């Protein structure tokens, strides 16, 4: 006998089950190959999709920061999927993400580390192989890019599995040095933000954080031997209102602060875990009004002056009397003790010679040393710093003005006034880092709209995304000279960036373009393809809560910039 009641109950159960199945969190999302910077080679491997699920295991070879790298992947997967990968010792097991160090180049000089890696995903797992822990970490960054952009945010609606397309990626950077700079002299930012900045650097496979620590408008680093550098030199009476050219004066609000050595150690530890070199910059002989305000005897006139409130280039610079060299050596000794970076940046830019021309010490030095003029005196100044840094096992790097009047052979030149300085330096056998303002100054406007409205306010200039992308540092160099290009860097000067939001706005998305300039071979670069991959990148920036400049219609293809 047919029991109607039972049939109805059956239908009801089926309906409920259907609804449950339909609404279950069993969502499978699939990753993509929108990797930025673009790898040297990406192929569909056709070995079947891999599914990360709660049975997936994780193997990480022992090496530099391997515990950190392990945590990094565990968190990445856990945050998005609520899946805790199970650590395993079996690198060849099924359903395993496996990071294998094939040979170790971890212990060589930072810029000689082999940063290449290979990533293969198949239905059985994901294998990342490299000859250094840093290479493995870049493989992890690539894995991050091929997973859906949702992994960048803490997901409320958890998924239970995640499909990774089958790819074979073979990759290595074009340039050894890939830098992002931040000026904390004009405006400074909390340590927490500096760490975020390092995250941004890592996400784009850049490897150097150039920390511009001293300026006319503020000295930002604790120096024990000279406490007034921060007691006095870290604070200015006010910050310029509007644009420099508006002549509105300053706001009268005391502004300042500095990083203690403990702060710096915290940043260094974080950067080191993330395979980023932190290169400090201490400016000599120019851009030193804040130091002079703290110790007036550092200048030629010896007059008490205030920490600068105006932007620009200022006449009071370091004098060349012996006491200044002692100061320089004592300050740099503390810097060298604190920062492990092989390269120590000593500025060297924009040092007007007005004071030196009228200074009896400087004029006496010119005569005594048989120098031609004040430019050769600057060269003497820089060579003395270089000698000192060499004695400490470090290499001097400075802005391209350090070429004027001759330069010690092993000094490195950062070419900012166009590409001339870099070309000239490379011909003389110096290594160079290319950061011409025409392509690499992220304090310039990035769209016509921003520029026309002067909002958000920028220093001037015009540097849209496509212009940054179009840069090929090797183009202007002759064959022999090419090998002297160490790398490329973008600079973030902060005269007009008071907040971390503004810094992000000026940095993003241009950081994506410069990362591809630094990492990807010229032949593999393609603007339309880049824009296409940026669609996914913008979602990541959204998920990370980054205040990036949104693409304007047609704007980023700005014909003017070509
Ligand atoms: C030039 S680049 C400077 C900085 C300014 C920047 C503004 C360089 C070595 N010096 O002091 O902040 O222009 O774009």
């Amino acid at each position: 006998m047919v029991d109607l009641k039972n049939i109805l109950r059956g239908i009801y159960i089926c309906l409920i089950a259907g609804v449950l199945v339909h609404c279950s969190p069993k969502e499978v999302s699939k990753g993509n190959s929108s990797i930025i910077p673009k790898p040297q080679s990406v192929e569909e491997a056709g070995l079947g999709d891999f599914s990360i699920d709660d049975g997936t295991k994780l193997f990480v070879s022992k090496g530099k920061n391997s515990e950190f790298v392990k945590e990094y992947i565990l968190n990445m997967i856990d945050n998005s999927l609520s899946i805790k990968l199970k650590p395993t010792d079996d690198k060849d097991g099924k359903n395993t993400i496996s990071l294998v160090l094939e040979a170790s180049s971890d212990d060589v000089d930072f810029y000689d580390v082999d940063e290449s890696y290979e990533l293969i995903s198949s239905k059985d797992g994901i294998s990342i192989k490299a000859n250094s822990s840093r290479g493995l970490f870049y493989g992890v960054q690539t894995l991050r890019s091929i997973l859906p952009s949702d992994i960048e945010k803490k997901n409320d609606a958890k998924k239970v599995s995640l499909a990774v397309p089958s790819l074979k990626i073979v990759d290595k950077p074009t340039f050894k040095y890939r830098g992002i700079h931040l000026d904390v002299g004009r405006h400074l930012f909390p340590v927490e933000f500096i760490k975020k900045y390092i995250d941004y650097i890592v996400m784009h496979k850049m490897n150097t954080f150039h920390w511009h620590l001293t300026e006319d408008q503020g000295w930002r680093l604790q120096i024990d031997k000279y406490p007034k550098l921060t007691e006095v030199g870290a604070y200015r009476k006010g910050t310029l209102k509007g644009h420099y050219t508006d002549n509105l004066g300053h706001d009268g609000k005391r502004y300042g602060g500095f990083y203690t050595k403990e702060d710096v150690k915290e940043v260094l530890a974080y950067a080191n875990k993330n395979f980023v070199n932190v290169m400090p910059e201490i400016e000599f002989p120019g851009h030193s009004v804040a130091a002079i305000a703290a110790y007036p005897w550092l200048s030629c006139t010896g007059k008490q002056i205030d920490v600068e409130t105006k932007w620009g280039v200022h006449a009071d610079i370091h004098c060349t009397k012996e006491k200044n060299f002692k100061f320089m050596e004592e300050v740099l000794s503390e810097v060298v003790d604190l920062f492990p970076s092989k390269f120590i940046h000593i500025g060297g830019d924009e040092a007007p010679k007005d004071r030196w021309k009228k200074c009896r010490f400087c004029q006496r030095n010119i005569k005594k040393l048989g120098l031609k003029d004040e430019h050769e005196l600057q060269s003497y100044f820089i060579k003395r710093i270089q000698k000192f840094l060499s004695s400490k096992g470090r290499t001097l790097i400075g802005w391209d003005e350090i070429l004027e009047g001759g330069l010690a052979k092993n000094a490195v030149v950062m070419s900012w006034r166009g590409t001339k300085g870099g070309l000239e330096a490379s011909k003389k056998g110096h290594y160079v880092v290319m950061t011409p303002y025409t392509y690499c100054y992220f304090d310039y406007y990035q769209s016509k709209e921003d520029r026309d409205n002067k909002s958000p306010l920028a220093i001037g200039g015009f540097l849209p995304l496509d212009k940054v992308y179009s840069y090929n540092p090797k183009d202007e160099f002759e064959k022999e000279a090419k090998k002297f290009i160490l790398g490329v860097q973008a600079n973030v000067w902060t005269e007009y960036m008071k907040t971390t939001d503004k810094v992000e706005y000026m940095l993003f998305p241009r950081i994506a373009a410069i990362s591809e300039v630094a990492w990807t071979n010229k032949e593999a670069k393609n603007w339309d393809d880049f824009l296409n991959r940026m669609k996914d990148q913008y979602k990541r920036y959204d998920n990370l809560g980054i205040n990036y400049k949104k693409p304007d219609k047609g704007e980023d293809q700005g014909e003017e910039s070509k």
Side-chain angles (χ1 to χ4, degrees), residues 186 215 287 349-350 399 416 441 443-444 459 493 495:
R186 275 59 178 260
E215 257 307 332
H287 286 290
D349 60 312
E350 300 181 323
W399 302 107
W416 75 277
Y441 270 44
D443 54 341
Y444 289 6
I459 199 161
W493 299 103
E495 286 95 332

Side-chain angles (χ1 to χ4, degrees), residues 415-476:
S415 183
W416 75 277
R417 294 176 300 175
T419 51
K420 273 191 331 287
L423 288 170
E424 189 190 326
S426 68
K427 278 187 196 139
K428 292 183 177 154
H430 296 287
Y431 281 102
V432 298
V433 171
M434 298 306 293
T435 178
Y437 65 87
T438 37
Y439 298 97
C440 301
Y441 270 44
F442 289 4
D443 54 341
Y444 289 6
Y445 286 109
Q446 49 191 322
S447 75
K448 286 182 205 152
E449 199 188 339
D450 289 4
R451 186 187 57 185
D452 295 347
N453 300 331
K454 293 201 165 54
S455 173
L457 186 65
I459 199 161
F462 184 57
L463 183 57
L465 190 62
D466 67 327
K467 173 93 188 200
V468 179
Y469 193 79
S470 71
Y471 185 39
N472 293 310
K474 287 185 189 167
D475 274 2
E476 291 170 63

